[in-house]
Amino acid sequence: MKKLLLVVLSLMTMMVFTACGSEKTSTSQEDKANSEDKIKIVTSFYPIYIETLNVTKGIDGVVVENMTKPQTGCLHDYQMTPADMKKLENADVFIANGAGMESFLQDVIDNQKNLKVVEAAKGIELLADEHGENPHVWVSVSNCMTQVQTIADELSKLDPEHADAYQKNAKEYIAKLEDLKQDMHNQIDNLPHKDIVTFHEAFPYFAKEFNLNIVGVIEREPGTAPTPSELDEIIAQVNDLQAKALFAEPQYSSTAAKTIANETGAKVYTLDPVVTGENDLDAYIEAMKQNALTLQEALK
């Protein structure tokens, strides 16, 4: 009887563990199926990531991942890594700025035939100078709104099941951006001085929107120090300013700006093109609010 009882208990224990194992396998398979049902969106860099997060906010089954590291900044001459390519291979949609910001974009389009590529700057009139078209369109609040709507429209076509949610989110975020733009105009429009010297070519769209005049640029490309003749030219431009202010960017070294400041007596301030930041839906808005406060202080 004892032996029989032990056999029965052993069989019951095996059944319990087998059932638990089956449940775990079933759950794992269900998780995998659920993962495969998700729409995977990859964004090229930080400002596009923040715009896309706002458009997809709270929508089940939509996953957004940024391709580049948070500290990457602008994608000038960026070289894609194997990790980047793997992210794109597993994505359904790649949302880029376009307008020449991502030099690798055409290679992605050519090599990832099943990947839907969205260029958020599509339809925005580009500013150009002797160096070519300027891709930093998002630094204008108005252009940022256009990009948000473009992202919402393209995702609505790709995923019509959630079209209403994309459009609702876009409408809510654009309303916040409209309020931001109006507040910034109230702070900037009546400043007595409008001439500025910026760090690099990130601010022409911003300057156009808020009627500022960029009279000089310290570095045409980040990391490319001005030549001695360029430095002399910038020093002369700063000496002519009524409000002696230089604007560095938080993402890059301010060494050149400090050198110019030492020669001219100008003060160095910081303007943020919002190419790095926290994983926060309001990060762009908060950075732009700070930019307006900085300009108020510098150009008073």
Side-chain angles (χ1 to χ4, degrees):
M1 287 294 293
K2 287 181 180 180
K3 288 183 179 181
L4 181 59
L5 182 60
L6 286 171
V7 171
V8 171
L9 287 172
S10 297
L11 288 172
M12 290 175 66
T13 302
M14 288 174 62
M15 289 172 65
V16 168
F17 278 111
T18 301
C20 290
S22 299
E23 183 179 352
K24 184 176 181 180
T25 302
S26 174
T27 302
S28 176
Q29 289 172 344
E30 184 179 337
D31 288 344
K32 183 177 179 181
N34 290 338
S35 175
E36 290 172 351
D37 287 342
K38 291 183 184 296
I39 294 175
K40 303 180 187 70
I41 301 170
V42 172
T43 56
S44 59
F45 74 133
Y46 184 74
I48 304 303
Y49 179 56
I50 294 301
E51 290 173 358
T52 304
L53 285 181
N54 276 281
V55 172
T56 59
K57 176 183 64 178
I59 302 178
D60 291 336
V62 178
V63 177
V64 181
E65 182 178 11
N66 199 37
M67 185 183 78
T68 50
K69 294 179 180 178
Q71 69 272 23
T72 302
C74 285
L75 301 183
H76 301 289
D77 302 319
Y78 180 81
Q79 299 294 316
M80 292 182 66
T81 68
D84 296 337
M85 289 182 272
K86 186 168 182 61
K87 287 177 185 176
L88 293 181
E89 286 173 2
N90 295 324
D92 300 300
V93 189
F94 180 48
I95 304 180
N97 181 77
M101 174 55 68
E102 298 90 353
S103 58
F104 52 81
L105 189 58
Q106 191 57 50
D107 288 339
V108 171
I109 293 171
D110 292 341
N111 295 319
Q112 301 282 347
K113 299 297 185 183
N114 295 324
L115 182 65
K116 171 66 176 176
V117 176
V118 174
E119 295 187 51
K122 182 179 179 181
I124 293 174
E125 183 178 352
L126 301 180
L127 300 177
D129 58 17
E130 66 273 20
H131 303 283
E133 293 179 331
N134 191 309
H136 302 82
V137 295
W138 70 91
V139 189
S140 154
V141 181
S142 295
N143 287 344
C144 180
M145 288 188 272
T146 299
Q147 290 189 299
V148 168
Q149 190 60 61
T150 296
I151 292 168
D153 290 344
E154 293 299 319
L155 291 179
S156 295
K157 294 175 190 174
L158 178 72
D159 179 24
E161 180 183 349
H162 296 119
D164 289 345
Y166 293 131
Q167 296 296 334
K168 178 176 179 292
N169 284 343
K171 184 178 180 180
E172 289 176 356
Y173 188 46
I174 288 170
K176 293 170 73 173
L177 293 172
E178 285 280 11
D179 289 342
L180 169 69
K181 185 174 78 167
Q182 186 58 57
D183 289 343
M184 291 180 72
H185 273 295
N186 293 339
Q187 291 171 288
I188 297 171
D189 285 355
N190 294 321
L191 290 175
H193 307 297
K194 296 296 181 74
D195 292 341
I196 62 174
V197 173
T198 61
F199 175 73
H200 91 290
E201 294 282 17
F203 286 92
Y205 296 95
F206 182 95
K208 181 180 179 182
E209 180 150 68
F210 296 107
N211 299 310
L212 300 171
N213 180 33
I214 299 175
V215 299
V217 176
I218 298 171
E219 295 184 7
R220 288 290 169 185
E221 293 291 337
T224 306
T227 64
S229 62
E230 289 172 337
L231 201 57
D232 288 341
E233 183 181 354
I234 297 167
I235 288 170
Q237 291 167 338
V238 173
N239 280 328
D240 288 338
L241 293 175
Q242 290 181 299
K244 287 189 167 42
L246 297 171
F247 296 96
E249 296 175 22
Q251 294 82 13
Y252 306 108
S253 169
S254 60
T255 300
K258 289 176 180 176
T259 300
I260 297 166
N262 290 336
E263 292 291 327
T264 61
K267 185 174 179 180
V268 179
Y269 296 88
T270 299
L271 283 182
D272 190 353
V274 205
V275 292
T276 60
E278 299 297 323
N279 184 5
D280 185 331
L281 293 175
D282 288 330
Y284 178 88
I285 290 173
E286 293 304 317
M288 284 296 171
K289 285 180 178 178
Q290 184 56 54
N291 284 342
L293 292 174
T294 297
L295 288 167
Q296 276 190 314
E297 181 183 352
L299 301 180
K300 60 189 176 184

